[in-house]
Amino acid sequence: DNMDRIFMSLKGKDGKVMELKKAHKKRYSPGLYDLTELQRDANRIFNFSAKETLSLMQNLYERHKVLTYPRTDSKYLSEDMVDTLKDRLKAINIEPYRSFVSRVMNKPIKKNSSFVDNKKVTDHHAIIPTEERVRLSELNNNERKIYDLVVKRFLSVLYPPFEYEQTTIEAAIGEERFVAKGKRIINQGWKEIYS
């Protein structure tokens, strides 16, 4: 076995670190949902078919009025919606989202081109919560699952990026080269919403 052979050839030899690299990295939230991506996630996470997801979205939009129009292919909001974000946050200011909402509300809301772009909104904007206050008790179990996906994506774009330090160590032992990678989290950022 290759590993054993390498291991035997290294026994008793000193390792030498050839290179040590540290890089500060940022990862931004995956952005707001359009219908296709919501269907993809609902299928991957809950095993819902595309049709099921659309019909649940339709209920959340028409009957409960807590999410915006489902049949959209945009993941962006238009500029004129930025002023409505605070009211949408107030509408979702309930458990289990309260602590996330308050973190976003106590600073001025920063819009950026990762989710606000007039040019990328055609007939309809991304799926986000409405300004209608939600009563979770009125949603059935599956509606809540879809609602939760949308709310978390909405909150995540308003959160700071996930930041970490990536360390790469290259070592030489005898003739062999080894690379080890490590990750140190600096700031959980939007990932906190999903933990």
Side-chain angles (χ1 to χ4, degrees), residues 1-194:
D1 168 33
N2 211 12
M3 270 323 277
D4 289 342
R5 208 176 64 246
I6 292 170
F7 190 68
M8 288 311 288
S9 72
L10 301 178
K11 261 188 144 161
K13 290 187 180 145
D14 286 334
K16 195 156 87 213
V17 173
M18 307 300 284
E19 197 177 1
L20 173 69
K21 279 199 294 237
K22 284 187 178 200
H24 188 115
K25 299 201 168 184
K26 280 183 184 183
R27 203 175 306 143
Y28 290 87
S29 115
L32 298 171
Y33 277 126
D34 62 4
L35 180 60
T36 309
E37 198 172 335
L38 178 63
Q39 287 170 322
R40 209 174 288 142
D41 272 7
N43 179 262
R44 184 175 53 84
I45 301 164
F46 305 119
N47 231 353
F48 294 167
S49 71
K51 205 171 150 192
E52 273 175 293
T53 300
L54 177 58
S55 109
L56 291 164
M57 261 304 301
Q58 211 69 41
N59 282 349
L60 290 160
Y61 165 67
E62 278 170 16
R63 211 172 73 225
H64 302 292
K65 299 185 170 31
V66 291
L67 293 182
T68 58
Y69 186 72
R71 291 171 191 267
T72 175
D73 56 6
S74 178
K75 296 179 181 182
Y76 294 85
L77 306 177
S78 50
E79 293 279 345
D80 57 0
M81 295 182 69
V82 175
D83 289 344
T84 71
L85 296 180
K86 275 224 152 76
D87 286 329
R88 294 169 197 273
L89 284 162
K90 283 181 194 143
I92 61 173
N93 193 13
I94 51 160
E95 288 311 330
Y97 313 113
R98 195 165 269 139
S99 64
F100 306 127
V101 171
S102 67
R103 266 198 65 178
V104 174
M105 293 279 275
N106 63 26
K107 291 196 226 28
I109 288 174
K110 278 210 227 14
K111 60 159 196 182
N112 63 57
S113 58
S114 72
F115 70 99
V116 179
D117 189 338
N118 283 347
K119 290 196 275 307
K120 291 181 180 160
V121 178
T122 43
D123 303 341
H124 302 282
H125 55 73
I127 298 169
I128 59 170
T130 62
E131 292 145 79
E132 187 84 29
R133 194 168 172 82
V134 64
R135 290 186 188 80
L136 286 183
S137 57
E138 290 175 13
L139 308 185
N140 69 35
N141 196 16
N142 286 349
E143 288 167 348
R144 274 191 69 162
K145 286 175 174 164
I146 295 296
Y147 182 78
D148 186 67
L149 286 180
V150 172
V151 167
K152 284 180 173 164
R153 275 292 180 101
F154 175 63
L155 284 165
S156 76
V157 299
L158 301 171
Y159 251 65
F162 171 66
E163 294 183 66
Y164 61 98
E165 185 181 66
Q166 176 106 47
T167 308
T168 310
I169 296 173
E170 204 175 307
I173 306 178
E175 295 298 298
E176 301 294 333
R177 283 279 177 118
F178 293 90
V179 175
K181 285 186 176 182
K183 191 193 261 185
R184 184 175 67 82
I185 293 171
I186 296 164
N187 182 3
Q188 276 288 354
W190 59 271
K191 289 205 166 197
E192 198 186 301
I193 296 165
Y194 290 91

